[in-house]
Amino acid sequence: MTVSLCVREPYQVDGDRRFRFGVAAAAAVPGIGALAPVVSADGAAAMGGHIDDSLGDRLTRYLADGVAIDDAVEVLLGAADVSVRRGRQLHGVGRSSSVTATGRDCVAAADRDGDHYTVAGTHLPSETALDAIADRYTGAAFGEEPLAERLIDALSAATDSGIDTRRADGDADNDGPLTVGSAAVRVVTTESTDDRRFYNDLRVDASESPIADLETTYNAALLGYEQTVDAYAEPDDPDVL
């Protein structure tokens, strides 16, 4: 993994407290969307370094059982072999807390904890990328635009400084051997909706410009969502979900 942003946004609907949870991630290798984002109605997290395919499922179960995310991460990391734990990065937000954990063997790694958001990365050219992501997100936090759109926009703020020392990127003066990367965004809300919002779960699995392509994919998915809702009188029709 290279960089990722996890977000919790509480809001009110008819006097009831609801949550939006989201993750955006980008990497200098293909397929990060299948591994890094962990999002449910109880929290959002992202993994880096030594990624365990089952860790996300275990974390989701802990959160569903009411375990705070910082306590859940402590248990999960404590159960791992020391050498694996030192090379793993895990961060995220739950309903009432947040957590960042970066093993000391993670390469050029750093993290930020903003309480309702966390941002972290490995193989960073500099920590400027994390600050850029955090600043872009906090400038639009709780805004009217869909969370998925704001997450992608925040992720794009890191491209000027570069997101991975292993990636060939002339604009950021990186000359690493990797040219094909990936990016993903996923958002889950606790609010019941009649129609599936196609733009809330998107991946670009292999691209030479993954973040830009994720933005293009998002815009197309948003257009498709709007067209589908406009075209059918009953948005909860199972044929269009």
Side-chain angles (χ1 to χ4, degrees), residues 20 27 33 37 79 108 131 135 170 184 191 228 235:
R20 297 185 188 93
D131 295 331
D135 289 346
E191 181 183 354
T228 301

Side-chain angles (χ1 to χ4, degrees), residues 3 12 14 23 26 34 38 45 68 73 94 117 151 156 163 169 172-173 175 191 217 219:
V3 291
Q12 296 283 330
D14 297 329
V23 173
V38 179
V73 167
Y117 74 90
L151 289 172
S156 70
I163 61 172
D169 189 342
D173 296 323
D175 57 358
E191 181 183 354
T217 301
N219 289 331

Side-chain angles (χ1 to χ4, degrees), residues 99-175:
V99 64
T100 56
T102 298
R104 68 184 189 185
D105 290 343
C106 290
V107 178
D111 55 56
R112 302 283 188 273
D113 189 339
D115 185 42
H116 70 94
Y117 74 90
T118 58
V119 59
T122 61
H123 294 278
L124 294 168
S126 75
E127 296 187 23
T128 302
L130 300 189
D131 295 331
I133 292 171
D135 289 346
R136 181 72 63 83
Y137 167 68
T138 55
F142 303 95
E144 295 183 0
E145 299 300 328
L147 178 55
E149 181 175 334
R150 291 183 282 118
L151 289 172
I152 296 170
D153 182 59
L155 200 63
S156 70
T159 55
D160 288 342
S161 59
I163 61 172
D164 199 309
T165 56
R166 301 167 296 175
R167 179 173 171 79
D169 189 342
D171 292 337
D173 296 323
N174 294 335
D175 57 358

Side-chain angles (χ1 to χ4, degrees), residues 24-27 29-34 37 155 163 181-185 202-207 209-215:
V29 294
I32 197 62
L155 200 63
I163 61 172
S182 57
V185 65
L202 302 171
R203 288 164 45 179
V204 173
D205 283 337
S207 168
S209 54
I211 297 177
D213 287 350
L214 181 62
E215 184 174 11

Side-chain angles (χ1 to χ4, degrees), residues 48-53 55 58 76-90 101-106:
H50 294 161
I51 295 179
D52 181 345
D53 290 349
L55 192 146
R58 286 181 284 156
L76 290 170
L77 293 179
D81 180 84
V82 173
S83 62
V84 173
R85 184 167 66 247
R86 288 176 177 172
R88 176 169 290 161
Q89 186 176 72
L90 181 57
T102 298
R104 68 184 189 185
D105 290 343
C106 290

